[in-house]
């Protein structure tokens, strides 16, 4: 049962997320809306995913040396090629791989990698190595700002988020929050937001808040009115969030960017069962949204990008966990991504301060994803 306090918290979060997504004073050149129906869905693995136990060099003897307790044996894992394997808990993605819709970019990170959650999240979110604090310069928002100038509707959506994710904070990009709510409660929140919208917006601040309320109400109405009850989404937190992504794609086709988070990846101790559970939930949720898109012919126009702020150290620790590291793989599903394995496999003979060497700059992936989003090119063009 939803209490009055919970209701007001959700109301504040929905409007607050929209209001926090942009600055009060816009200053950006307008750009024509692209003549395509493309969108990018970003999924952040919060805490630092252990990439070495996600995309696994299981036959490498050094992997067994460094991961005495945590290693996954080749016969347990899912075969990708002769030397590379997928964690066995991610079997849900086998169909996506076999169908040529899964792309894996190995060794992704940046020079002089920070092991701070806050700093590295800011760096990834802004696409800027000097980032240290949240700003209004998110990498996806920079792509959307010129488009937002010519759109009357918000172009970005944050799933079940109390504030606007940093990568969607821009100069004028408007982001709506899509809370995890029953349809009846979404309709009630929309009615409350629609009340008192005729008051005199006699200042920039009042106009700003009024627009945020209108955006939030319109998004809730459209989501609640979605005619489909989607089957096949797992009954997990992440599965529900992927169901919300599906609802946004169906009910808000104007949205160009959707962001969701999967929490829990800071596995300093007792990693093996926890990481397996997380990866199973992740893979099953991704498989569900991939099926949803495929059944509706939307795989080609929707790019899913899965990333974390950093990977983990190669050497397991004494608590049967791993500590903050550097490079990690990025998963890309659908869109213009080229299927298969890309980039160099982890070189465990030549570590940098105990970390896997970064061989792919994350900013290059962000750049090609942004270019694909606003262009009519069928494939993402990598340098």
């Amino acid at each position: 049962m939803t209490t009055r306090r919970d209701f007001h918290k959700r109301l504040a979060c929905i409007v607050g997320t929209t209001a926090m997504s942009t600055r009060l004073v816009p200053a950006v050149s307008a750009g024509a809306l692209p003549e395509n129906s493309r969108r990018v869905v970003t999924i952040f693995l919060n805490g630092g995913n252990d990439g070495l136990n996600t995309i696994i060099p299981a036959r490498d003897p050094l992997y067994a040396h460094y991961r005495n307790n945590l290693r996954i044996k080749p016969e347990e894992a899912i075969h990708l090629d002769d030397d590379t394997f997928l964690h066995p808990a991610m079997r849900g993605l086998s169909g996506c791989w076999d169908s040529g819709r899964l792309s894996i970019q190995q060794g992704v990170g940046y020079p002089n990698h920070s092991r701070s959650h806050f700093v590295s999240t800011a760096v990834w979110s802004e696409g800027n190595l000097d980032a240290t604090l949240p700003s209004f310069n998110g990498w996806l928002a920079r792509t959307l700002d010129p488009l937002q100038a010519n759109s009357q509707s918000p172009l970005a959506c944050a799933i079940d988020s109390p504030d606007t994710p940093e990568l969607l904070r821009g100069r004028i990009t408007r982001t709506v929050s899509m809370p995890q709510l029953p349809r009846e409660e979404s309709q009630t929140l929309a009615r409350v937001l629609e009340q008192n919208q005729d008051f005199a917006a006699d200042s920039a601040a009042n106009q700003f808040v009024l627009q945020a309320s209108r955006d939030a109400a319109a998004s809730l109405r459209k989501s609640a009115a979605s005619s489909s009850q989607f089957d096949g989404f797992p009954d997990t937190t992440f599965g529900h969030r992927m169901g919300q992504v599906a609802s946004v794609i169906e009910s808000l086709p104007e949205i160009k960017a959707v962001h969701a988070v999967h929490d829990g990846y800071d596995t300093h101790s007792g990693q093996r069962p926890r990481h397996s559970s997380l990866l199973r939930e992740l893979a099953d949720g991704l498989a569900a949204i991939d099926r949803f898109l495929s059944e509706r012919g939307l795989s080609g126009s929707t790019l899913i990008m899965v990333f974390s702020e950093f990977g983990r150290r190669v050497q397991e620790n004494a608590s049967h966990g791993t500590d903050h590291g550097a490079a990690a793989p990025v998963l890309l599903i659908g869109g213009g991504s080229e299927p298969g394995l890309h980039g160099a496999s982890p070189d465990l003979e030549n570590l940098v301060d105990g970390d896997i060497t970064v061989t792919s700059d994350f900013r290059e992936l962000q750049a090609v994803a942004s270019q694909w989003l606003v262009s009519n090119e069928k494939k993402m063009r990598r340098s």
Side-chain angles (χ1 to χ4, degrees), residues 254-315:
E254 66 274 16
I255 293 290
K256 305 292 288 180
V258 187
H259 183 70
V261 177
H262 192 209
D263 293 305
Y265 286 86
D266 200 13
T267 51
H268 288 283
S269 62
Q271 175 177 307
R272 192 179 183 96
R274 288 176 56 201
H275 197 232
S276 293
S277 178
L278 286 165
L279 292 182
R280 181 174 293 106
E281 186 174 341
L282 173 67
D284 291 350
L286 290 174
I289 190 65
D290 177 60
R291 285 193 300 271
F292 170 87
L293 294 169
S294 297
E295 290 168 358
R296 289 157 179 79
L298 298 174
S299 292
S301 60
T302 304
L303 174 67
I304 300 173
M305 177 183 288
V306 185
F307 63 96
S308 193
E309 68 265 44
F310 45 61
R312 314 295 292 187
R313 308 280 276 180
V314 173
Q315 177 69 61

Side-chain angles (χ1 to χ4, degrees), residues 22 25 27 35 102 138 145 173 175 185 202 233 241 251 254 263 283 304 307 324 334 337 345 364:
T22 180
V25 182
E35 295 180 0
L102 175 60
D145 274 344
T173 293
T175 300
E185 191 165 333
D202 53 1
F233 284 89
R241 287 178 179 171
S251 61
E254 66 274 16
D263 293 305
I304 300 173
F307 63 96
H324 300 177
S337 59
S345 298
E364 295 178 5

Side-chain angles (χ1 to χ4, degrees), residues 109-112 119 122-124 126-132 361-363:
Y110 54 89
N112 302 313
V119 172
V123 168
W124 271 84
E126 290 190 27
N128 175 13
L129 301 187
D130 296 325
T132 56
D361 194 309
F362 78 104
R363 292 168 295 180

Side-chain angles (χ1 to χ4, degrees), residues 76-290:
E76 298 173 325
I78 300 164
H79 180 271
L80 297 179
D81 68 14
D82 289 343
D83 301 309
T84 311
F85 298 79
L86 187 66
H87 192 288
M90 302 187 78
R91 194 164 299 279
L93 282 181
S94 294
C96 188
W97 174 264
D98 294 340
S99 300
R101 292 194 298 277
L102 175 60
S103 173
I104 301 170
Q105 182 70 45
Q106 302 187 90
V108 183
Y110 54 89
N112 302 313
H113 219 294
S114 172
R115 294 195 182 100
S116 161
H117 291 293
F118 303 104
V119 172
S120 200
T121 299
V123 168
W124 271 84
S125 297
E126 290 190 27
N128 175 13
L129 301 187
D130 296 325
T132 56
L133 296 172
S135 72
F136 286 88
N137 192 34
W139 72 271
L140 258 179
R142 287 198 299 274
T143 303
L144 297 178
D145 274 344
L147 309 183
Q148 188 67 76
N150 276 336
S151 175
Q152 298 300 311
S153 302
L155 295 181
C157 179
I159 299 296
D160 204 20
S161 176
D163 58 12
T164 303
E166 294 174 50
L167 79 173
L168 295 178
R169 293 180 188 172
R171 301 174 76 181
I172 63 170
T173 293
R174 285 154 53 194
T175 300
V176 294
S177 175
M178 192 60 64
Q180 188 173 315
L181 297 173
R183 178 175 299 188
E184 296 76 12
E185 191 165 333
S186 293
Q187 292 171 332
T188 301
L189 282 169
R191 284 196 297 272
V192 172
L193 288 167
E194 288 164 348
Q195 293 174 0
N196 302 317
Q197 289 201 4
D198 56 350
F199 74 91
D202 53 1
S203 69
N206 282 348
Q207 291 173 0
F208 188 64
V209 174
L210 182 59
Q211 184 61 62
S213 297
R214 286 172 175 163
D215 288 346
S219 299
L220 284 168
R221 283 288 188 197
K222 290 180 180 179
S223 177
S226 178
S227 59
S228 298
Q229 294 296 314
F230 309 124
D231 296 324
F233 284 89
D235 188 18
T236 63
T237 298
F238 186 70
H240 295 160
R241 287 178 179 171
M242 290 303 95
Q244 289 175 275
V245 171
S247 178
V248 169
I249 290 171
E250 178 171 272
S251 61
L252 299 167
E254 66 274 16
I255 293 290
K256 305 292 288 180
V258 187
H259 183 70
V261 177
H262 192 209
D263 293 305
Y265 286 86
D266 200 13
T267 51
H268 288 283
S269 62
Q271 175 177 307
R272 192 179 183 96
R274 288 176 56 201
H275 197 232
S276 293
S277 178
L278 286 165
L279 292 182
R280 181 174 293 106
E281 186 174 341
L282 173 67
D284 291 350
L286 290 174
I289 190 65
D290 177 60

